[in-house]
DNA sequence: ATGTAC
């Protein structure tokens, strides 16, 4: 990226000043090295988003930002409820993709002796890969119940425990879902895909806590050095993808109908208060429930695999947070509370201390912000800050962020070699697809530590713990 | 991300 187009406000804050047709500035949080790695298309896409009607304050880019479909991944934009727009491209193709992390009640010493067996057990028990299917088949009525009920539905079906629900955004069930506005094609694609990881950067990891940066917050989250955790990164699978496809197409027409100028067709949108805008929101909320139910079932499968080898294990959910959503939230804009639809695409909600939506257990310290690494690299747990509200509408990064295309990665790495190299470093990777492993090579991503350090330094969220992988089941 | 080009 050409940083001369930006005004540097501090070591970690850079502005793309608002010039017509932009209505608000673009604010990027990153260090100079991360910015230089970013494509200029990120700025172009930020300027396009900043030009949409009803946008407030600024369009934001997190330190892991890279260019995406219409709207940068690692982007945040909020629109007024009355005269703003909603965009399917602003949420992305994997609606409600997110991370959940569980404690296992075990330490590294418990895992080491049976690590190979555990990897094999998890790999056999948790479906992974493109088009992977599970043991659950949803008939139409059950599909609608799932889309309406989310993780709450999953728990009622016997996947997990009622106490899991308090540790999930929206208590595991997104209100306002409209399953009837999801196409039959989307439902058909999902019928056999519940409880599957999917592909790409999705995974299930067994991790050890190697460093704690903030003891007080770590205690509130229940993690300490040497603890073994399980993290799941997955989303709404074929259904979310189809919803995004269906509504992106529909929004091109809606934008035309309502006289919205589109700098890029991929940024198709509709007024929030229009029939089309409301239809997308209802369908998107149903897709959020699909992702929440999916991660809940995956949790159940992980528990079963652990119970078989380690009966002492007790997988307790720490938190589940999505990073591809558009949600109605109240934020302070110029000192006044306003109801806004906040698009976070590859950006994690990061509510600070005292937010009423947070579970009692950590309301005093702030929301856990779960940052996934890439195979063989660290993951982080951060916490939302009070200052994050004004800086980024309480949002932070979501992961390392790609630095290289999948195509480029395939030319540079071989999946089998990567698995062997990681194995030598004590990280067991199991994947149905060597090609998928090559596409997701750690070297194809930015340095997650640099990303997290930038989010920390910019005050978007603060570091709590560093996690290193032991086992990675890769989609 | 994705029945990785209906």
């Amino acid at each position: 990226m050409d940083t001369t187009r930006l005004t540097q406000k501090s070591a970690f804050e850079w502005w793309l000043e608002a010039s017509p047709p932009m209505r608000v500035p673009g604010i990027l949080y990153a260090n100079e090295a991360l910015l230089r790695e970013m494509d200029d298309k990120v700025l172009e896409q930020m300027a396009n988003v900043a030009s949409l009607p009803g946008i407030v304050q600024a369009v934001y880019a997190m330190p892991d930002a890279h260019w995406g479909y219409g709207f940068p991944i690692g982007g945040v934009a909020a629109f007024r409820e009355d005269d703003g727009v909603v965009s399917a491209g602003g949420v992305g193709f994997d609606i409600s993709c997110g991370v959940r992390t569980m404690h296992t009640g075990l330490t590294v010493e418990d895992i080491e002796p049976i690590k190979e067996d555990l990897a094999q057990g998890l790999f056999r028990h948790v479906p992974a890969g493109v088009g992977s299917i599970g043991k659950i088949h949803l008939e139409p009525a059950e599909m609608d119940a799932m889309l309406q009920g989310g993780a709450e539905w999953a728990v009622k079906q016997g996947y997990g425990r009622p106490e899991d629900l308090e540790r999930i955004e929206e208590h595991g069930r997104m209100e306002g879902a409209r399953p009837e506005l999801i196409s039959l094609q989307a439902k058909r694609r999902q019928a056999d895909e519940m409880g599957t990881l999917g592909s790409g950067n999705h995974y299930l990891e067994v991790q050890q806590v190697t460093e704690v940066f903030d003891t007080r917050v770590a205690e509130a989250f229940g993690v300490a050095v040497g603890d073994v955790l399980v993290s799941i990164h997955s989303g709404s699978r074929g259904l979310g993808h189809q919803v995004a496809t269906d509504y992106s197409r529909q929004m091109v027409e809606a934008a035309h109908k309502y006289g919205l100028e589109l700098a890029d067709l991929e940024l198709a949108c509709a007024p929030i208060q229009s029939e089309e805008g409301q239809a997308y929101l209802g369908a998107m909320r149903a897709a959020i429930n699909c992702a929440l139910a999916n991660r809940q079932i995956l949790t159940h499968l992980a528990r079963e695999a652990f119970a078989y080898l380690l009966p002492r294990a007790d997988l307790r959910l720490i938190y589940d947070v999505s990073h591809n959503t558009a949600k109605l939230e109240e934020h302070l804009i110029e000192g006044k509370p306003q109801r806004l639809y906040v698009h976070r695409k590859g950006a994690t909600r990061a509510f600070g201390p005292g937010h009423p939506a947070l579970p009692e257990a950590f309301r005093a310290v702030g929301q856990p912000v779960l940052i996934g690494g890439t195979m063989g690299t660290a993951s982080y747990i951060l916490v939302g800050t009070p200052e994050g509200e004004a800086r980024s509408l309480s949002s932070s990064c979501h992961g390392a962020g790609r630095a290289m295309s999948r195509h480029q990665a395939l030319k540079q790495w071989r999946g089998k070699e990567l698995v062997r190299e990681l194995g030598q470093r004590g990280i067991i990777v199991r994947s149905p697809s060597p090609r998928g492993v090559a596409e997701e090579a750690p070297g194809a991503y930015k340095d997650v530590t640099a990303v997290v350090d930038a989010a920390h330094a910019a005050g978007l969220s603060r570091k709590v713990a560093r996690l290193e992988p032991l086992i990675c089941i890769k989609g």
Side-chain angles (χ1 to χ4, degrees), chain A residues 244-474:
Chain A
T245 305
D246 292 342
Y247 281 91
S248 294
R249 206 171 289 158
Q250 207 180 102
M251 280 178 170
V252 173
E253 286 171 41
H256 181 74
K257 175 175 161 188
Y258 296 104
L260 298 166
E261 292 228 3
L262 296 180
D264 176 357
L265 284 185
E266 292 184 354
L267 203 62
C269 56
I272 289 164
Q273 296 306 335
S274 68
E275 195 187 332
E276 295 85 348
Q278 289 295 309
Y280 172 70
L281 286 167
M284 181 207 60
R285 290 174 184 136
I288 288 177
N289 282 330
C290 177
L292 297 181
N294 188 37
R295 289 197 289 273
Q296 186 63 34
I297 297 167
L298 287 164
T299 296
H300 177 74
L301 297 177
R303 283 173 174 154
E304 286 184 333
F306 267 80
Y308 186 74
L309 285 165
L310 294 155
R312 259 188 342 103
D314 177 25
L315 273 61
R316 298 184 314 275
L317 183 55
I318 297 171
Y319 202 54
D320 179 309
V321 61
S322 301
H323 45 235
N324 284 355
T325 58
K327 287 187 175 176
L328 179 61
E329 293 172 8
E330 196 171 273
H331 287 279
L332 274 183
I333 304 299
E334 286 159 11
K336 281 186 223 142
Q338 263 200 42
R339 278 155 65 93
L340 305 169
Y341 276 87
V342 184
H343 295 67
R344 293 192 184 87
K345 180 183 186 181
T348 310
R349 195 189 72 176
F351 284 152
H355 198 286
L358 298 183
E360 193 64 42
F362 39 73
R363 192 169 299 162
V365 297
Q367 183 209 297
V369 177
L370 307 174
I371 308 303
T374 56
M375 270 179 316
T377 64
S379 294
Y380 285 86
I381 300 178
L382 293 89
V383 64
T385 62
E387 61 271 31
E389 163 66 13
R391 300 219 175 134
S392 58
L393 300 165
S394 295
S395 311
S396 189
C397 55
H398 84 305
R402 284 203 88 90
M404 186 187 291
S405 72
R406 292 197 161 94
H407 184 72
Q408 268 178 293
L410 274 181
K411 286 196 287 189
Q412 218 161 316
W413 287 283
R414 291 271 172 274
K416 283 184 182 165
E417 276 173 40
L418 282 169
V419 170
R420 191 168 43 78
E421 284 165 21
L422 289 164
Q424 283 168 352
R425 289 170 39 202
I427 302 162
I428 304 177
V429 176
R430 290 280 180 277
S431 170
S433 163
R435 177 198 163 114
V437 169
E439 287 179 349
E440 295 299 318
Y445 280 82
K446 300 187 216 293
D447 174 8
V448 69
T449 299
V451 166
V452 161
D453 285 345
H456 176 97
L460 309 182
S461 51
R462 293 204 182 284
K463 293 199 285 184
V464 176
R466 175 180 163 96
L467 321 175
E468 303 271 358
L470 298 164
I471 296 168
C472 178
I473 309 303
K474 189 77 187 159

